Amino acid sequence: MTVRELVSALPEPAVLRDRCRAIAMLDVILDGYELMHTFVPGWREGVDLARMENGGGDLYAIVFDPAGVFLYGFDHESDATPWREEDRAHWPGLLDGLPASLARYAKEPEFQFEGFFDASVCAWREAGDSAWRCGPVEFGPHESDGGGWLFDLVVDGSPDAFVGFAEDYYERSVDRDTVAAVLAGAPLTRAVVASLRASADFDIVAGQARELGWAVVGEAAAG
């Protein structure tokens, strides 16, 4: 899957935002420290940010702005990596058509590496639009931009998809019912935390949950 297929597979912006936040919440419960998925409410005034960094050089960021959603990913081994050329260059058409209301995010310092917007895949959806958009990029039969695997969890959104990822990444069994409850937006409770990481300090996890804007039920929620 490249971005050309990704724009047809992405859910509605509100669903995507909730899904990103829930995946970040699950990562907090399962680990709490070296997080692959993060979610920052109020990253900018009125703007939320979801990120993924796998520690191997691959990442994505999804900006939820009142003007719309800006999404990009970087697969350092993909055909579309800017590093395919000595002087880094975007894949032809990558940013063509990016609306002015969202264009500033391709210039955000936090999304730059050595002064360059390192992206192999990019998509967007302006507020009020009925579909996701991307630039007029073209790929050969065996060429990829990483759009498929980078965003597979947020596209799928199912408990089974997350459990498959988590059991491989964390190398331990993960309770599917608890994952399903969190993905559905269930409040954080001691039972939820214990089900996914028995050794976790509930008060610490609850504090991280509240930073995500997640409802917490239990002693730590008071005060």
Side-chain angles (χ1 to χ4, degrees):
M1 179 191 294
T2 69
V3 70
R4 300 298 294 271
E5 293 77 37
L6 178 64
V7 293
S8 297
L10 285 166
E12 290 293 303
V15 173
L16 180 62
R17 180 188 179 280
D18 289 347
R19 194 171 287 173
C20 288
R21 192 169 68 110
I23 289 171
M25 184 70 258
L26 285 164
D27 268 17
V28 165
I29 301 170
L30 285 163
D31 186 288
Y33 299 99
E34 297 182 7
L35 303 177
M36 178 183 290
H37 301 93
T38 56
F39 188 88
V40 185
W43 172 66
R44 298 286 187 268
E45 186 175 354
V47 178
D48 299 336
L49 174 68
R51 296 197 77 168
M52 184 282 291
E53 296 188 48
N54 68 0
D58 307 302
L59 57 87
Y60 70 64
I62 308 174
V63 178
F64 298 92
D65 185 292
V69 182
F70 174 79
L71 170 156
Y72 87 92
F74 174 63
D75 176 351
H76 78 285
E77 294 185 337
S78 72
D79 299 288
T81 174
W83 294 83
R84 71 191 182 282
E85 299 182 13
E86 184 173 349
D87 294 325
R88 280 178 290 171
H90 293 132
W91 194 257
L94 182 76
L95 298 175
D96 291 357
L98 178 61
S101 62
L102 298 171
R104 67 184 180 279
Y105 291 116
K107 300 176 183 179
E108 276 287 342
E110 291 173 64
F111 300 157
Q112 306 284 312
F113 181 74
E114 296 180 349
F116 187 86
F117 178 54
D118 260 351
S120 60
V121 52
C122 188
W124 53 86
R125 182 161 169 175
E126 282 194 282
D129 198 349
S130 60
W132 291 90
R133 312 288 178 182
C134 66
V137 290
E138 298 291 343
F139 297 95
H142 303 294
E143 291 178 327
S144 172
D145 58 4
W149 76 267
L150 282 171
F151 298 98
D152 55 358
L153 280 185
V154 295
V155 166
D156 188 304
S158 70
D160 290 332
F162 186 86
V163 168
F165 150 74
E167 292 189 339
D168 178 67
Y169 186 74
Y170 294 107
E171 298 183 337
R172 64 177 188 264
S173 62
V174 175
D175 185 75
R176 183 191 182 281
D177 290 343
T178 305
V179 167
V182 174
L183 287 173
L188 188 76
T189 65
R190 293 181 181 277
V192 165
V193 173
S195 176
L196 293 177
R197 182 161 57 105
S199 63
D201 183 314
F202 178 74
D203 289 354
I204 292 176
V205 175
Q208 292 172 295
R210 288 196 295 275
E211 290 178 0
L212 291 175
W214 203 270
V216 178
V217 177
E219 291 180 17

